[in-house]
Amino acid sequence: MRSNRGDPLKADPSAQQRLLDLQELDSQLAQLAHRRRSLPEHSVLAELEEQRAALDARVRDLRIAADDTTAEHKRANADVEQVRARRERDQQRMDSGAIANPKDLERMQHELVSLSKRISDLEDIELEVMERLESVQEQLMAVSGELAEVETKIATATAARDQAFADIDGEVSDLNAKRGTVADELPADLLALYEKLREAKGGVGAAPLRARRCEGCSLELTASDLRAVAAAPADEVVRCEECQRILVRTAESGL
Ligand SMILES: [Zn+2]
């Protein structure tokens, strides 16, 4: 066994058992951290944020289109008004009797007809612009409504996530308090070795030997390793030959 080489680390058997309690707490903390990272609300929120960004962009585009079309409608309306005013002036001049020459009168009549035709054309344009403006405004209302719905969903999912965070953080805080108590009971050198292994070994630094199996790597010890573990003094910190983790002997070790 590794622990038989050099100067093996010594720790009271009760401290070794306590190390398993610490490992259990650390495993629970790791599970909570994993649960915090993989809450379903994270993916729900990511999807909703994407929808919001797309709807935001559409609302912005439609606002620009609505502004442009409003300006276009004002211009079309002004065009109609301008020609109407001219027709009214001409009509008044004719009605006033100021134009006596029949040729001038005839020309004026023609102009009035042509102005009326022009007004009718411009009114058609104004109507067409008005219809486009109404359509853009309807779309803007609809998309703004969709955006508001998505924002409500985001608020709900955010509240659910924050509640889940608060629940998890409460558990983490309780476990950390227990962890502190257990860690304080352990000798510094044993704790340091455990922390180093836990860091390097996916969160598990110490494991019980149960039914001749290291529960860190799940491998069964060889007969010679078992003999070495059985022969090691109770206060010797033994290590799994396969995974290097601290191997804590228990009543069910099968030695
Ligand atoms: Zn192992």
Side-chain angles (χ1 to χ4, degrees), residues 214 216-217 240 242-243:
C214 162
C217 63
C240 171
E242 282 300 327
C243 69

Side-chain angles (χ1 to χ4, degrees), residues 207 213-219 221 239-247:
R213 211 172 275 279
C214 162
E215 293 204 341
C217 63
S218 303
L219 290 175
L221 271 66
R239 307 272 293 276
C240 171
E241 198 63 28
E242 282 300 327
C243 69
Q244 319 304 328
R245 291 185 175 93
I246 297 167
L247 203 50

Side-chain angles (χ1 to χ4, degrees), residues 58-127:
R58 282 181 66 198
V59 164
R60 276 197 302 274
D61 287 349
L62 285 166
R63 283 208 180 108
I64 291 167
D67 288 349
D68 288 351
T69 316
T70 300
E72 196 182 343
H73 179 253
K74 269 188 192 146
R75 283 195 302 273
N77 182 258
D79 289 348
V80 172
E81 290 309 316
Q82 195 185 12
V83 183
R84 271 194 192 134
R86 190 169 152 198
R87 184 178 64 178
E88 200 164 320
R89 274 199 314 275
D90 287 357
Q91 188 69 55
Q92 279 169 0
R93 274 184 72 198
M94 272 186 69
D95 293 350
S96 70
I99 302 158
N101 187 322
K103 281 218 159 156
D104 286 348
L105 270 173
E106 198 184 339
R107 203 175 55 239
M108 190 69 82
Q109 289 284 11
H110 279 300
E111 191 177 314
L112 281 172
V113 170
S114 122
L115 285 174
S116 291
K117 172 77 174 67
R118 176 92 184 114
I119 287 166
S120 169
D121 290 348
L122 288 171
E123 280 173 345
D124 287 348
I125 292 172
E126 189 193 358
L127 187 64

Side-chain angles (χ1 to χ4, degrees), residues 100-187:
N101 187 322
K103 281 218 159 156
D104 286 348
L105 270 173
E106 198 184 339
R107 203 175 55 239
M108 190 69 82
Q109 289 284 11
H110 279 300
E111 191 177 314
L112 281 172
V113 170
S114 122
L115 285 174
S116 291
K117 172 77 174 67
R118 176 92 184 114
I119 287 166
S120 169
D121 290 348
L122 288 171
E123 280 173 345
D124 287 348
I125 292 172
E126 189 193 358
L127 187 64
E128 183 271 323
V129 175
M130 189 64 202
E131 280 167 358
R132 262 196 291 129
L133 179 58
E134 279 170 4
S135 162
V136 168
Q137 282 168 340
E138 273 170 27
Q139 288 177 63
L140 182 56
M141 288 254 293
V143 177
S144 298
E146 281 179 57
L147 180 60
E149 272 178 38
V150 167
E151 274 168 352
T152 304
K153 285 182 190 167
I154 287 175
T156 306
T158 302
R161 183 204 58 193
D162 290 348
Q163 182 58 58
F165 274 173
D167 293 347
I168 291 170
D169 292 348
E171 284 184 61
V172 166
S173 166
D174 289 349
L175 286 173
N176 270 327
K178 285 184 198 160
R179 188 194 193 279
T181 307
V182 176
D184 284 348
E185 294 171 21
L186 296 173

